[in-house]
Amino acid sequence: IFEKAGAIVLANACGPCIGQWKREDVHKGEKNSIVTSFNRNFAQRNDGNPATHAFVTSPEVVTALAFSGDLTFNPITDTLSAPDGTEFRFDAPSGAALPQQHFQVDTDSYQAPPTPEE
């Protein structure tokens, strides 16, 4: 579904984030922008192109921008057109911000750094 909308889906692994994304849509040195949910956005990190501007955002925003095909798309206020012409807006993401049972606290998980004598 994402590829039908024009998105390029990459593995959530080291390949894209070490510049191994083999892009055929942009020539090296050509200024362009990408939106990613990977956690790195410095020059040449994703595609080896020093002219690529990579913007990091949430997976939800990346998905909305992929469906819109427009970096100026605002998923809160803007609408998209379905294949039948009807307009729709994405629902806001939902879910628990924190685990309902809180984070597990385990005092045995702390390990003090070694002393100089060790």
Side-chain angles (χ1 to χ4, degrees):
I1 190 166
F2 296 115
E3 291 166 341
K4 284 184 179 179
I8 297 172
V9 180
L10 303 172
N12 189 12
C14 291
C17 67
I18 61 170
Q20 292 182 348
W21 174 17
K22 184 180 179 225
R23 293 184 70 186
E24 297 177 2
D25 60 326
V26 175
H27 298 291
K28 191 166 188 170
E30 182 180 344
K31 291 182 181 181
N32 70 98
S33 297
I34 61 170
V35 180
T36 178
S37 59
F38 294 132
N39 63 348
R40 291 175 176 87
N41 68 341
F42 51 86
Q44 301 186 60
R45 183 64 179 194
N46 291 282
D47 63 358
N49 184 350
T52 296
H53 296 279
F55 297 92
V56 179
T57 188
S58 69
E60 294 86 357
V61 171
V62 170
T63 301
L65 293 172
F67 274 96
S68 73
D70 183 353
L71 290 176
T72 66
F73 179 76
N74 181 341
I76 297 171
T77 59
D78 297 344
T79 59
L80 295 172
S81 295
D84 66 3
T86 60
E87 291 192 349
F88 71 95
R89 187 175 286 133
F90 287 111
D91 292 333
S94 62
L98 297 172
Q100 289 185 346
Q101 299 299 318
H102 306 288
F103 292 103
Q104 180 180 357
V105 177
D106 184 356
T107 56
D108 294 335
S109 63
Y110 174 75
Q111 292 183 342
T115 61
E117 301 85 44
E118 294 182 297

